[in-house]
Every structure is written in structure tokens, then in C-alpha cells.
């Protein structure tokens, strides 16, 4: 019975470590954060086009603008 108590306490103590290890890594620097932002913007544009809210010309213009900002 006491071993179950020890096991429960150990699991409780290690739970925060497990949560940190399972979380996706965050961008480390400015460049990585910018890349993550632009990837998210491109994914959003693709979702908007798939939903029919952007036609091909508007999608191409918006994608070009995001790519231009990425290069800058």
C-alpha cells in the first residue's frame, strides 16, 4: 500500500517535466519566430483559398506579399 503512495508522489513530482518534454519546441530567436509567423500566414492563405474566400489572383498576390516580407 505504501508503494502505491510512493508511486503516486513520484508521478506527481515528474508530471511537470513530462509536460515540458511533450510540448512542441518554441522558436529560439527572432529569425525562427519570423519564419514560424510567415509559415502560419501562408497556411492561413491556403485555408482561405480552399474555403473559397480567395480567388486565384488574390491568393497569388497575397502569397507573393508574404514571400516578399519573408525575404526582407
Amino acid at each position: 500500500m505504501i508503494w502505491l503512495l510512493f508511486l503516486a508522489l513520484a508521478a506527481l513530482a515528474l508530471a511537470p517535466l513530462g509536460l515540458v518534454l511533450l510540448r512542441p519546441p518554441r522558436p529560439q530567436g527572432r529569425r525562427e519566430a519570423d519564419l514560424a509567423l510567415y509559415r502560419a500566414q501562408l497556411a492561413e492563405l491556403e485555408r482561405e483559398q480552399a474555403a473559397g474566400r480567395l480567388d486565384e489572383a488574390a491568393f497569388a498576390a497575397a502569397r507573393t506579399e508574404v514571400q516578399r516580407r519573408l525575404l526582407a
Side-chain angles (χ1 to χ4, degrees):
M1 182 70 175
I2 194 156
W3 291 109
L4 289 177
L5 178 63
F6 286 148
L7 181 64
L9 288 175
L12 186 62
L14 293 176
L17 177 64
L19 292 175
V20 169
L21 291 176
L22 293 177
R23 191 175 352 166
R26 293 186 298 184
Q28 296 296 322
R30 172 76 182 201
R31 182 174 185 274
E32 289 83 9
D34 288 344
L35 287 174
L37 173 67
Y38 294 128
R39 282 189 197 111
Q41 288 176 342
L42 287 173
E44 178 67 24
L45 286 173
E46 290 170 359
R47 285 193 299 270
E48 291 289 322
Q49 184 190 28
R53 291 188 282 266
L54 283 177
D55 62 352
E56 187 61 37
F59 172 73
R63 184 182 63 212
T64 303
E65 177 63 24
V66 170
Q67 290 171 344
R68 184 192 61 77
R69 283 185 283 162
L70 177 61
L71 291 174

